[in-house]
Amino acid sequence: MRGLVLRGTNNIFNVACEDGTERLCTIKGKILEQETKYHNPMAPGDFVQVEPDAHGEARILSLEPRKNFFARLNEKTSTPQILAANVDLVLCMTTPDTPPFRPIFVDRVLVQAASQNIPACIVMNKIDIVASEKVREHTAEWRRLKYSVFEISAHSGEGIPELLAALANKTVCLTGQSGVGKSSFLNGIAPDLKLMTGEVSAKYNKGSHTTTCGTFYRIKTYVNDSPISLNIIDTPGIKNFSLYGVDKDAAALYFPEMETAVGKCKFGLSCSHKSEKSCEILRRVQAGEISRLRYESWLNITE
Ligand code: GDP
Ligand code: ZN
């Protein structure tokens, strides 16, 4: 029987089976041995074949090939952690403040998504908090680069209909630093979820699995009285987003404004884009075609 992985840790997964039943599943034997180079063998959004047993549980027999997956490097284990599988869009939530605005976190998520060929957009939550000049500059720059930036307030509901209209019928991977308001947003569009919100320390008690496990939610909601459906894979609270599979030399390929400069420097692909004369990337920075803000993010990623 086919099933959709909703959440799970290393060995036990909640799977929505096609007969309408949600079952706790374990992996049969070593069938997924090829996955051991990953931090987790499966992620929310994966499709699997399961064999139900007589006790209402099931065994996972095989994993279907993925359309794509969104991952980060898990620094504790030095292995890629698959955050979500089979996604249409990565959504990076950020805030003008509380927690402090960290554009580098956002740029890292954008680069990771681009490297895995997944479209990405930005959601600025808490727009009831006044945005600094720096926040406005980054937002304008992302828009100039053709990233969608949605401005919302999970508290007041402002901007949420426009965002939901863009997410209808998609499977969306929701990322962002802890505290940006992911749970508040989800509760707002699907009150039945009743997710815990608030201070990170209060939300996750030490040693609990909740911090390392994402969850697939099937959401039915309304935009201006019209029903819409969407799937959201909420990712665990992450402090630092470490890139997986993005080579230092390849990082510029995932900055749309740098991509076309790669290979055009005098020293070709061996250019470090830091001090060389006749470096096309530095030329574009000086000409204002590549913003200093984004060049700094690129430096941060490659150093
Ligand atoms: P998560 O860690 O990303 O799931 O964040 P939470 O949903 O737990 O929210 C963290 C804190 O931000 C909570 O105290 C929320 O009440 C607060 N918060 C969420 N949305 C908003 C908003 O739109 N405006 C303001 N001012 N605070 C918000
Ligand atoms: Zn260069």
Side-chain angles (χ1 to χ4, degrees):
M1 193 189 310
R2 195 170 188 235
L4 168 70
V5 176
L6 301 178
R7 57 183 277 119
T9 52
N10 287 337
N11 302 310
I12 301 179
F13 295 87
N14 294 60
V15 175
C17 301
E18 66 185 355
D19 65 354
T21 306
E22 191 179 318
R23 292 180 173 85
L24 273 184
C25 297
T26 47
I27 299 174
K28 181 185 177 183
K30 296 224 153 137
I31 205 130
L32 296 171
E33 206 161 31
Q34 75 275 15
E35 299 292 337
T36 51
K37 65 180 168 122
Y38 292 105
H39 175 81
N40 51 335
M42 283 178 291
D46 264 324
F47 287 100
V48 289
Q49 288 292 325
V50 300
E51 179 182 63
D53 66 17
H55 319 289
E57 300 191 347
R59 285 194 305 175
I60 294 172
L61 305 177
S62 62
L63 171 66
E64 288 185 14
R66 296 173 175 129
K67 167 172 102 172
N68 59 28
F69 64 89
F70 184 67
R72 64 153 187 155
L73 188 72
N74 186 295
E75 279 182 344
K76 275 192 200 135
T77 59
S78 293
T79 49
Q81 177 178 6
I82 303 168
L83 297 170
N86 302 314
V87 303
D88 300 311
L89 180 68
V90 167
L91 200 152
C92 184
M93 190 173 278
T94 184
T95 49
D97 205 348
T98 345
F101 178 59
R102 276 176 58 205
I104 284 172
F105 188 105
V106 177
D107 282 331
R108 283 171 169 264
V109 169
L110 297 178
V111 165
Q112 185 70 60
S115 80
Q116 289 169 309
N117 226 343
I118 309 172
C121 70
I122 297 152
V123 173
M124 180 71 69
N125 185 32
K126 312 198 189 184
I127 51 162
D128 48 292
I129 300 175
V130 177
S132 66
E133 181 59 33
K134 183 182 170 206
V135 171
R136 291 200 301 270
E137 256 179 66
H138 278 275
T139 303
E141 179 58 17
W142 285 319
R143 287 194 168 129
R144 188 181 76 91
L145 297 170
K146 304 279 188 286
Y147 291 107
S148 297
V149 184
F150 296 92
E151 297 184 289
I152 69 163
S153 167
H155 276 181
S156 75
E158 198 181 338
I160 290 183
E162 292 79 2
L163 171 59
L164 288 178
L167 305 185
N169 303 317
K170 293 197 167 118
T171 295
V172 178
C173 175
L174 177 58
T175 63
Q177 295 176 74
S178 306
V180 294
K182 296 184 294 298
S183 311
S184 303
F185 165 69
L186 288 168
N187 283 340
I189 62 171
D192 290 348
L193 294 179
K194 297 191 174 71
L195 302 176
M196 230 185 276
T197 62
E199 291 306 315
V200 177
S201 51
K203 229 160 66 165
Y204 306 108
N205 38 29
K206 282 179 210 136
S208 135
H209 285 297
T210 41
T211 49
T212 57
C213 181
T215 304
F216 190 108
Y217 297 111
R218 287 177 283 191
I219 294 174
K220 292 201 184 310
T221 185
Y222 290 86
V223 178
N224 307 323
D225 297 330
S226 311
I228 64 156
S229 326
L230 67 148
N231 300 318
I232 295 190
I233 299 174
D234 187 22
T235 60
I238 290 171
K239 278 207 197 89
N240 296 306
F241 196 95
S242 300
L243 295 174
Y244 150 68
V246 179
D247 235 39
K248 220 173 98 165
D249 298 338
L253 293 172
Y254 307 118
F255 283 75
E257 71 276 44
M258 292 189 191
E259 186 196 347
T260 54
V262 172
K264 292 195 180 141
C265 307
K266 185 174 172 200
F267 297 107
L269 294 174
S270 63
C271 183
S272 74
H273 317 311
K274 282 178 190 157
S275 55
E276 289 90 341
K277 282 195 178 137
S278 309
C279 164
E280 175 62 10
I281 287 193
L282 290 176
R283 189 199 66 73
R284 290 188 188 186
V285 172
Q286 269 139 28
E289 293 162 31
I290 295 172
S291 81
R292 297 212 168 258
L293 303 173
R294 293 270 295 174
Y295 180 71
E296 274 160 28
S297 281
W298 174 83
L299 279 177
N300 174 282
I301 285 169
T302 52
E303 267 165 7

